Amino acid sequence: MDYSVKINGETRQVEAEPGTPLLWVIRDELRLTGTKFGCGVASCGACTVHLDGEPVRSCQTYIEDIEGSEITTIEAVSADPVGAAVQQAWAELDVVQCGYCQSGQIMSAIGLLRETPKPDVSEINDYMSGNVCRCATYQRIRAAVQRASEILEA
Ligand code: FES
Ligand code: FES
């Protein structure tokens, strides 16, 4: 079937079977490879993108469920002030180790800061708990979320 996908400010046409995970549409059809495959079962957060501004797991979101919605991936977050602040904080604090989980971490961090502009440590831990980092960069992630909050407040 043909589907129209609104992604990163553009409308793209894709051909996919109903039931195709959005993650595969993003990576294989649209060639936006910043979004990663980790577990495939909504347990790791590596595949997180925004659907109408809210973080979702693209491995468990299906092509037929996104009609009319706006998808944003890591490739476009710098266009948004919260996204730009998060990316700046991530760079300043050198959060990334291997990097595999970090697109998903950043997408979730943006969701958190939109909802809670000045999160405390427990709010960060709660919100980010679905994003797993096999390199255990959690301390730096927490610090970078707080730094992004300061950047946005300035
Ligand atoms: S790949 Fe989607 S949550 Fe792990
Ligand atoms: S930085 Fe390696 S998995 Fe998170």
Side-chain angles (χ1 to χ4, degrees):
M1 276 186 72
D2 288 333
Y3 293 91
S4 240
V5 180
K6 286 196 228 169
I7 187 157
N8 298 341
E10 282 180 54
T11 300
R12 308 269 301 264
Q13 303 302 317
V14 298
E15 203 186 309
E17 293 299 316
T20 302
L22 174 60
L23 177 59
W24 301 131
V25 173
I26 290 170
R27 288 185 54 87
D28 290 354
E29 303 295 324
L30 302 175
R31 302 283 172 193
L32 294 165
T33 54
T35 304
K36 303 303 185 198
F37 170 69
C39 63
V41 293
S43 292
C44 75
C47 67
T48 306
V49 299
H50 293 171
L51 183 70
D52 293 330
E54 296 286 330
V56 296
R57 305 299 188 233
S58 62
C59 68
Q60 293 289 307
T61 303
Y62 301 99
I63 184 74
E64 63 272 28
D65 298 333
I66 61 163
E67 213 176 332
S69 295
E70 176 69 47
I71 310 294
T72 308
T73 67
I74 190 71
E75 285 84 357
V77 294
S78 60
D80 167 83
V82 179
V86 169
Q87 286 191 319
Q88 182 187 329
W90 246 246
E92 275 181 23
L93 276 72
D94 208 5
V95 172
V96 174
Q97 194 162 315
C98 83
Y100 199 82
C101 72
Q102 297 291 337
S103 301
Q105 303 281 3
I106 286 172
M107 299 311 282
S108 290
I110 295 167
L112 165 60
L113 288 166
R114 282 185 183 147
E115 218 173 86
T116 309
K118 287 186 72 173
D120 62 25
V121 169
S122 77
E123 287 169 324
I124 296 171
N125 287 342
D126 282 352
Y127 195 96
M128 301 294 290
S129 63
N131 286 83
V132 177
C133 176
R134 65 189 171 189
C135 303
T137 59
Y138 301 111
Q139 297 276 12
R140 292 203 298 272
I141 288 169
R142 274 193 286 276
V145 169
Q146 288 175 320
R147 174 69 189 126
S149 171
E150 286 167 15
I151 293 167
L152 286 162
E153 210 180 24

